[in-house]
Amino acid sequence: MAEPELAKRIIRVLKKLSAIHGSTMLARIGGGQPFRTLVATILSARVRDEVTEQVVPRVLERWPDAESLAVASPHQVEQVIRRIGLYRVKSVRLVEVAKQLMRDHGGRVPSDFDALIQLPGVGRKTAGCVMVYAFGQAALPVDTHVHRISNRLAWVKTSNPDATELALRAVVAKNWWSRVNDLLVHHGKTICRPQRPLCGDCLVWQDCAYGVKNRRPD
Ligand code: SF4
């Protein structure tokens, strides 16, 4: 159970961020469609949003579903996603995932977290993103932004994203889970950047010990 003060502080911060941040790339590009969201999430790891947003539609134009992607060769996929970081690994992964979807799920993306993390190369973050952005379910996908900012805000004290996810589950009210990724990823890309966060421009600095220390006096 979260300490009441911490729980209140978290909701205060999330509400403030809700007022200023729009949707993240995955919410936009996934369009609430499970296969599209899964492909976009796999491709987006360590890639700039603008590149992902250009490449995902090309992949889906050529292979709109698991059935078509399952019979593609990784080499064919490579030719389409070359601009994406780790494109060789991701090409193999996309085809393997499509094959497993055909074999175990009738070509559909399962709406079950435990089934999603059984797909090849699909970890908790990717599964959580699909649950949130494709199925509208409560999940807490934690990427590097969510991990970094949750620690800066002292919501958790953890050393890796999986530990952060578990810790966040204990302190964030469940009705806010699905918003955490969207809001903190956006905040991490615009204000609370990995290097030199813009604490002077941050709307939530008063609830952030790191920010209070980091802000220059006016
Ligand atoms: S005050 Fe600084 S460190 Fe804290 S959330 Fe804002 S930008 Fe990040």
Side-chain angles (χ1 to χ4, degrees), residues 149 152-153 187 191-193 197-199 202-205 208 210-212 214:
I149 298 172
R152 279 180 179 167
L153 285 163
H187 194 51
I191 304 288
C192 194
R193 303 181 306 199
L198 305 175
C199 300
C202 182
L203 199 64
V204 300
W205 71 274
C208 178
Y210 185 108
V212 169
N214 229 14

Side-chain angles (χ1 to χ4, degrees), residues 34-88:
F35 184 68
R36 196 178 175 90
T37 304
L38 178 58
V39 168
T41 308
I42 290 171
L43 289 178
S44 68
R46 299 188 204 170
V47 177
R48 282 183 293 120
D49 283 359
E50 50 271 34
V51 176
T52 308
E53 291 197 71
Q54 284 172 13
V55 172
V56 168
R58 286 187 209 145
V59 173
L60 292 163
E61 197 177 306
R62 185 132 175 219
W63 303 286
D65 47 31
E67 188 175 7
S68 53
L69 188 56
V71 294
S73 74
H75 179 69
Q76 287 174 311
V77 178
E78 270 181 26
Q79 304 310 309
V80 178
I81 70 166
R82 286 189 90 87
R83 293 185 58 211
I84 292 274
L86 301 175
Y87 69 93
R88 287 205 171 93

